[in-house]
């Protein structure tokens, strides 16, 4: 840790019992944002509704001046601009992205960081060049074990000054399953500033920390990358001195469009008695979602929802729907997904010090008014 | 108040001393969002970075099915679809919009509501039909005193179930200064869902509560509108039983792009010694901004910044810039605007129970590292 930075950059911590959200957490919540859950109605999330997490500042990037270098253990170093990337045959993938910290703010105790409730998700069509095509073009030297990706966003985190930087094992970078993209378009348009303009990485099925934005360098290395975002952050740890396991792929999750209408302040849902459609979307970065179950009695009983045909490939969420006859009074709705690997969302919080991979089932309290109102 | 709704919808309140941000406030912060301050670099805010506040849910609006009715005290009621609106000669205005509650979360005591820090602002070019053209087309009947605007967003607020609804005095609706628009495009594109797709009201110079989104009805009335958003919310009150004054136009404010780079968690700014450009934008909904002053010693001394030529008309923010020679240590930067009516931003918080119109000067703590690092 740079000693000069200790005044502005504190170690990670857990909130104390009953400690409200701090102004620092609020500052992150005010600039980053989730997807309002009613936007689950859109198969493709409009860019301004897709969740956004930016560690530092959005860089002042100008596409015409942007260069991406490919170097390290390659035969021929490359230096490409966005127009060079567009000259390769384009590949478009529909991908559901989720922040690894989604659900963090509801954990007990709460890791103090970006305070997501449950809405840090979105789905977009990303267009770009497969990473393996670029790496073949450069020529991978023997001995390369990882690809390290550098973004142009610069800041300090827990005392370490850094550009945002993450790696992938070479097998993932070259593997084609998932097809990793060096992407320059989102839903057919140039990337918006907050989504990595002009070029970003897209790693389908992985949590957001892998999707390096404002990508400016790709370097093949002969030893595993030990930078902050790989070796310190984004690890499943139960104690501060636990080396932990790396956060990688997205755990299964289903979300429901909250039915009825909200109270402005409490966000409690209000509806009227009678038949109510319940719907939402479900995804997993591990294996296709195979089952979605809904409970209308706070998890005591569950029934299967209809899972609609997959739209847009294996990396995108699937729509589900069912119906419920609402009766006057208070109810708690819940939904859970199971994927083809047999992973199901837990009913008790999966806790770790970073608050990562928390796919606790969503619970929606609703108040059904008396009839005839 | 509907008695059935009292369980889900509580009266407004102030946070207690030292009370952290609640999960309810966080739920609003997670779905609404401000403009990251580095986006002050863009003269026109990209739609996904423009601040958004949605009281209830974003409606599932389909442009082809949308109708706007114009009725009440008019000679000929109108029923228009978006294509009808596009048949009128279009008017485009560049407008800086700000939420009336901007700055609320830093007030002491803190009104419990959408917890903005200072970033609830954005500037866009809105295209549409002048409201006065539509009202002339319908023919205003004698006796009309207000125009009431209904949005399609539906919810509960402090026990009152409602569609979002606001009014303007007839003189403002017909006046042409500001030119009120029934807008169907933002920065040349159809409105995004969260900005009122397919049609919204734009009232240049007024705070955001006047800019009714998902506009579906305009009604001229013979008595002033007393609905919730006009008579209960959005009033400057010092006590709960004070009738208060209505919130209308935007008070002057300048914001600075935070210089240097941030710490992820504390958002404290870090920079290196030497000459540092300071820049940002300033606006007022009352009169043109005539002066921007900057302090680099926490408000003890001030000097004038250069105010660049107005770009895009009188309703848009103006760029300002100056320079500062940073020296190692801790500093607090501040900026304040003055408008042509002589209004200047206060150094002490302007407080009211709703936390409206708080244009306290922005203060940015920065940590300048030792040289040679």
């Amino acid at each position: 840790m740079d000693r000069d930075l200790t005044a502005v950059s504190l170690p990670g911590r857990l909130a104390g019992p009953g400690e409200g959200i701090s102004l620092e957490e609020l500052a992150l919540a005010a600039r980053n944002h989730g997807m309002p859950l009613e936007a689950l109605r859109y198969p493709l999330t409009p860019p301004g509704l897709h969740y956004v997490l930016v560690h530092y500042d959005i860089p002042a990037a100008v596409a015409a001046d942007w260069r991406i270098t490919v170097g390290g253990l390659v035969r021929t170093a490359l230096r490409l601009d966005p127009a060079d990337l567009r000259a390769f045959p384009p590949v478009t993938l529909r991908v559901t992205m989720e922040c690894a910290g989604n659900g963090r703010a509801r954990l007990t105790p709460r890791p103090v960081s970006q305070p997501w409730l449950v809405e840090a998700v979105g789905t977009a069509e990303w267009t770009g060049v497969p990473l393996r095509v670029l790496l073949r073009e450069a020529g991978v030297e023997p001995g390369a074990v990882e690809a390290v990706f550098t973004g142009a966003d610069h800041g300090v985190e827990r005392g370490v000054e850094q550009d945002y930087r993450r790696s992938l094992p070479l097998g993932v970078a070259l593997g084609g399953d998932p097809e990793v993209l060096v992407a320059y378009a989102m839903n057919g348009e140039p990337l918006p500033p907050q989504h990595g303009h002009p070029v970003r990485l897209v790693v389908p099925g992985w949590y957001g920390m892998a999707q390096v934005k404002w990508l400016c360098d790709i370097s093949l290395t002969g030893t595993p990358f030990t930078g902050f975002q790989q070796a310190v952050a984004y690890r499943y740890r139960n104690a501060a001195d636990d080396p932990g396991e790396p956060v990688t792929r997205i755990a299964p999750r289903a979300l429901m469009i909250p039915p009825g209408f909200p109270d402005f302040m409490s966000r409690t849902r209000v509806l009227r008695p009678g038949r109510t459609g319940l719907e939402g979307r479900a995804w997993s970065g591990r294996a296709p979602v195979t089952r979605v179950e809904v409970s209308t009695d706070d998890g005591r009983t569950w029934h299967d929802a209809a899972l609609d045909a997959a739209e847009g490939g294996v990396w995108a969420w699937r729509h589900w729907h069912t119906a419920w006859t609402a009766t006057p009074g208070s109810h708690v709705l819940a939904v859970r997904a199971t994927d083809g690997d047999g992973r199901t969302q837990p009913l008790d919080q999966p806790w770790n010090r970073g608050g990562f991979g928390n796919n606790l089932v969503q619970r929606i309290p609703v108040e059904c008014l008396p009839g005839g109102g």
Side-chain angles (χ1 to χ4, degrees), chain A residues 40 50 92 97 101 112 134 137 168 224 241 256 258 261 266 362:
Chain A
L40 286 163
H50 193 292
T92 296
M97 260 184 216
V112 173
L134 287 186
E137 182 93 358
L168 289 174
D241 59 354
M256 183 187 298
F261 50 86
S266 70
Q362 178 195 21

Side-chain angles (χ1 to χ4, degrees), chain A residues 71-74 139-147 169-171 174 219-224:
Chain A
L73 294 175
V74 296
V140 177
E141 290 278 15
V145 298
E146 285 198 350
L170 196 65
L174 291 173
S219 232
L220 300 193
T221 59
T223 53

Side-chain angles (χ1 to χ4, degrees), chain A residues 11-281:
Chain A
R13 71 177 187 94
L14 304 175
E19 180 184 333
I21 305 291
S22 63
L23 280 179
E24 297 189 346
E25 289 164 288
L26 180 62
L28 284 167
R31 43 178 287 122
N32 299 309
H33 68 87
M35 184 190 73
L37 294 185
E38 65 270 29
L40 286 163
R41 74 169 73 105
Y42 308 109
L44 283 181
T45 313
L49 294 176
H50 193 292
Y51 99 89
V52 174
L53 178 79
V54 176
H55 276 244
Y56 314 121
D57 285 354
I58 299 168
V62 175
D65 301 334
W66 202 257
R67 298 296 180 274
I68 298 179
T69 47
V70 182
L73 294 175
V74 296
R75 276 196 300 279
T76 313
L78 307 179
R79 183 177 158 83
L80 306 161
D81 63 25
D84 296 328
L85 293 178
R86 286 172 190 268
F88 287 91
V91 171
T92 296
L93 295 174
R94 187 178 294 203
V95 176
T96 296
M97 260 184 216
E98 184 176 6
C99 184
N102 201 9
R104 177 186 289 128
R106 291 201 190 279
L107 289 171
T108 305
R110 180 180 83 246
V112 173
S113 184
Q114 166 71 36
W116 296 122
L117 293 164
V118 75
E119 62 296 294
V121 68
T123 296
E125 282 185 347
W126 302 96
T127 301
V129 187
L131 175 62
R132 54 184 174 154
V133 170
L134 287 186
L135 293 180
R136 256 195 322 254
E137 182 93 358
V140 177
E141 290 278 15
V145 298
E146 285 198 350
V148 178
F149 305 91
T150 302
D153 42 334
H154 184 87
V156 183
E157 208 159 335
R158 301 197 207 162
V160 182
E161 186 177 341
Q162 58 190 288
D163 293 329
Y164 188 85
R165 193 171 277 142
R166 285 273 310 177
S167 73
L168 289 174
L170 196 65
V172 175
L174 291 173
D177 183 30
E179 183 76 275
V180 179
L181 294 182
V182 175
Y184 47 74
M186 181 185 191
N187 298 343
E189 301 287 337
L191 302 183
Q194 72 273 33
H195 289 291
H197 187 85
V199 181
R200 70 176 300 171
L201 201 66
V202 173
V203 189
W206 287 52
Y207 280 117
M209 76 280 149
Q211 327 281 341
V212 178
K213 298 193 282 284
W214 313 290
L215 181 65
C216 51
D217 183 70
I218 302 169
S219 232
L220 300 193
T221 59
T223 53
F225 177 60
T226 58
F228 179 87
Q229 302 294 347
Q230 203 82 23
V232 180
Y234 294 115
R235 299 187 79 87
Y236 294 110
R237 304 177 201 271
N238 288 310
D241 59 354
D242 173 5
E245 291 295 318
V247 177
T248 57
R249 287 176 183 246
I250 298 174
R253 191 195 293 273
L255 288 177
M256 183 187 298
I257 299 178
F261 50 86
D263 175 63
F264 170 71
M265 193 63 230
S266 70
R267 304 316 289 178
T268 302
R269 307 301 299 192
V270 178
L271 43 74
R272 300 213 147 73
R275 190 178 161 87
T276 303
L278 300 178
E279 62 173 320
R281 298 187 192 265

Side-chain angles (χ1 to χ4, degrees), chain A residues 339-355:
Chain A
D339 72 15
D341 280 357
R343 289 181 177 80
T344 298
Q345 290 181 252
L347 298 173
D348 295 314
Q349 67 169 17
W351 190 90
N352 55 77
R353 275 188 71 87

